[in-house]
Amino acid sequence: MESLTTDERTTGAENVLWDLTDLYPSATDPAFIHDVETIGARCADFHGTWKGKLRTLDITAFLQMLVQYEQLAETMDRLGSFAQLIWSTDTEDPKNGRLLQQTREVAAQAGQHLVFLGIEIAALPDETLKTLIAAPELATRRHWLERVLDYKPYNLSEEVEQVLAIKSLSSRHAWVRMHDELMASQVFRLNGREYSEAQILKLLQEPNRDVRKAAAESVSAGLAEGIKAQTFIFNTVMADHMVNDRLYGYASWVASRNMANEASDASVQALIDSVVDRYELVRRYYSLKKKLLGYDEFHDYDRYASVGSDETFWSWEDARDIVVKAYAKFDPRAGEIAQMFFDRNWIHAPVRKGKNGGAYSAGTIASAHPYVFMNYTGTNRDVQVLAHELGHGIHQYLSRQQGPLLMDTPLTVAETASVFGEILTFNLLYEAATDDKTRLTMLMTKLDDILSTVFRQIALNRFEDAIHVARRSEGELSTERLSEIWVTTQSVQFGDTVKLSPGYKYWWSYISHFMHVPGYVYAYAYGELLVLALYEIYKSDKSGFPDKYIEMLSSGGSKKPTDLLAPFNVNVEDPEFWKIGLGVIDRLITEAERLAAQ
Ligand SMILES: [Zn+2]
């Protein structure tokens, strides 16, 4: 809630609230109460009607079953979205917490009746699945069925899956939760005060170098206190992952993640190789930052220091006009959809006591529409956040036509519309800036983000790759071994440009993505470089691009990413493709160097 005290300017967003009527008129409305009271019985009916019969269904009956399933899933998501959205805007009202808990419990109970479906479809003979996939009646659900077939080689028997699912609660999930709880309760001490992880990490962005240095030392000291436990947790979670890979038959530690992302191993390797090949861009960028900050030496705690200050202020109306204009200039259809979010009250914008932080676009359900959540304070950055979330919103709005099973895209392309919209808007803001000093500040802020998304995440991936491989060949890894791998994989990108403090060796231990979703982090770099490349393609040929782009967004998750991208003639398995986005980063750094030299 810091922003309430530090920024009391009126933005015009104070009363920009969403209208959730399209989900339910209210939590006391008969429609809401009816759904809460009947969803369990409806799911139980579904179970009674279809369980054990999927093998014998003809195509008409199979479609009928799927449609019923979609309706039940939609009702559960409608209840869940509604409660979640209400709660997120006022978490301090106990009524909202109760509502959220109530819908979760109702959905969990009802959902138990639906679990059989995935298992039973997966157990259908290949021939049956192929017949269903080929059926014209099921064409709009085809890719969902294709995914079931893709996963078949990795399926275990129903009994084994059930045992694994139950046992994972007291094995993998318990260890991940312990990681979270230890990090959440870890105290970081600085000048007699105690800080949480989030608070102390935020201090690393402070303009005052002494504060950053002291904060970094406090992080190191706090992580050192918990390092023994984290070493054990990392080893256990990695061993669990290894055992699962063997049981399911995945060839490498990252193969299951690539499968879930619908990204081929070759495309991920091409991405990683291309980024590692351009690590010199990191060194060039931090050399420039060192010069701008006027330092002789550049340390790990200097990386997130902000350069200059950007005082630009935009009212909510200004922000709306800029963002809608950016989208409309790209394509009128995108502009119209963006405008709808404002006209129809699909945005919750003000900073309020009790409201969650951050921003997101909630896709909700196919038969309603997305809602955008943010905390608007009027900065250049907030305008880009609005553009980012509206990008998700436009994507989700268009992909609703794919229905509940296929409206969501895989992780690697999920950020396409958001980052693309952010670029469109950044360019407008950059042109609107009145002096080079503001431009340089904007550019450095942007580059901070891009470098974190592309190079930092790939360096994290290199660490993650090395520890999983080492765990499999060397057995349990000591704290020293993990730290040595960490320092090595980080140093490669920094070279001599960034001096790492001794305590930095333990900074691998707080990164929760490693525990929550092994292999997750490369998707950030994948998404960012994909969009930078698409934007280059757009710049070189504006005529045909928007049609293909809108078509891609409208396809949602109904095709695999390579097929979604096919109309743009890109080959994600070719390192040359990834070099396009890296070339854009190179040009942005060159532009910043030019502005800095003036
Ligand atoms: Zn996003």
Side-chain angles (χ1 to χ4, degrees), residues 388-389 392 415 418:
H388 180 103
E389 301 310 335
H392 282 303
E415 291 296 330
S418 54

PDB file of all heavy atoms in Angstrom, residues 388-389 392 415 418, ligand 1:
ATOM      1  N   HIS A 388      -0.249  -3.737 -21.980  1.00  0.00           N
ATOM      2  CA  HIS A 388       0.092  -5.157 -21.852  1.00  0.00           C
ATOM      3  C   HIS A 388      -1.160  -5.982 -21.515  1.00  0.00           C
ATOM      4  O   HIS A 388      -1.470  -6.959 -22.188  1.00  0.00           O
ATOM      5  CB  HIS A 388       1.151  -5.306 -20.750  1.00  0.00           C
ATOM      6  CG  HIS A 388       1.606  -6.710 -20.513  1.00  0.00           C
ATOM      7  ND1 HIS A 388       2.812  -7.185 -20.979  1.00  0.00           N
ATOM      8  CD2 HIS A 388       1.018  -7.760 -19.886  1.00  0.00           C
ATOM      9  CE1 HIS A 388       2.947  -8.461 -20.636  1.00  0.00           C
ATOM     10  NE2 HIS A 388       1.861  -8.828 -19.964  1.00  0.00           N
ATOM     11  N   GLU A 389      -1.874  -5.535 -20.473  1.00  0.00           N
ATOM     12  CA  GLU A 389      -3.039  -6.309 -20.042  1.00  0.00           C
ATOM     13  C   GLU A 389      -4.156  -6.270 -21.084  1.00  0.00           C
ATOM     14  O   GLU A 389      -4.863  -7.256 -21.285  1.00  0.00           O
ATOM     15  CB  GLU A 389      -3.537  -5.841 -18.675  1.00  0.00           C
ATOM     16  CG  GLU A 389      -2.501  -5.949 -17.551  1.00  0.00           C
ATOM     17  CD  GLU A 389      -1.824  -7.315 -17.456  1.00  0.00           C
ATOM     18  OE1 GLU A 389      -2.418  -8.311 -17.898  1.00  0.00           O
ATOM     19  OE2 GLU A 389      -0.677  -7.366 -16.957  1.00  0.00           O
ATOM     20  N   HIS A 392      -3.468  -8.927 -23.607  1.00  0.00           N
ATOM     21  CA  HIS A 392      -4.032 -10.209 -23.160  1.00  0.00           C
ATOM     22  C   HIS A 392      -5.543 -10.208 -23.371  1.00  0.00           C
ATOM     23  O   HIS A 392      -6.123 -11.194 -23.808  1.00  0.00           O
ATOM     24  CB  HIS A 392      -3.762 -10.430 -21.669  1.00  0.00           C
ATOM     25  CG  HIS A 392      -2.378 -10.877 -21.354  1.00  0.00           C
ATOM     26  ND1 HIS A 392      -1.819 -12.012 -21.894  1.00  0.00           N
ATOM     27  CD2 HIS A 392      -1.417 -10.352 -20.539  1.00  0.00           C
ATOM     28  CE1 HIS A 392      -0.585 -12.170 -21.427  1.00  0.00           C
ATOM     29  NE2 HIS A 392      -0.313 -11.172 -20.604  1.00  0.00           N
ATOM     30  N   GLU A 415       2.157 -14.760 -24.145  1.00  0.00           N
ATOM     31  CA  GLU A 415       2.506 -13.353 -23.959  1.00  0.00           C
ATOM     32  C   GLU A 415       2.615 -12.597 -25.284  1.00  0.00           C
ATOM     33  O   GLU A 415       3.041 -11.438 -25.304  1.00  0.00           O
ATOM     34  CB  GLU A 415       3.829 -13.231 -23.189  1.00  0.00           C
ATOM     35  CG  GLU A 415       3.745 -13.668 -21.735  1.00  0.00           C
ATOM     36  CD  GLU A 415       2.809 -12.816 -20.869  1.00  0.00           C
ATOM     37  OE1 GLU A 415       2.646 -11.616 -21.159  1.00  0.00           O
ATOM     38  OE2 GLU A 415       2.228 -13.371 -19.916  1.00  0.00           O
ATOM     39  N   SER A 418       0.240  -9.408 -25.574  1.00  0.00           N
ATOM     40  CA  SER A 418       0.522  -8.431 -24.525  1.00  0.00           C
ATOM     41  C   SER A 418       1.823  -7.688 -24.800  1.00  0.00           C
ATOM     42  O   SER A 418       1.879  -6.455 -24.741  1.00  0.00           O
ATOM     43  CB  SER A 418       0.584  -9.134 -23.180  1.00  0.00           C
ATOM     44  OG  SER A 418       1.500 -10.201 -23.233  1.00  0.00           O
TER      45      SER A 418
HETATM   46 ZN    ZN B   1       1.436 -10.816 -19.419  1.00  0.00          ZN
END
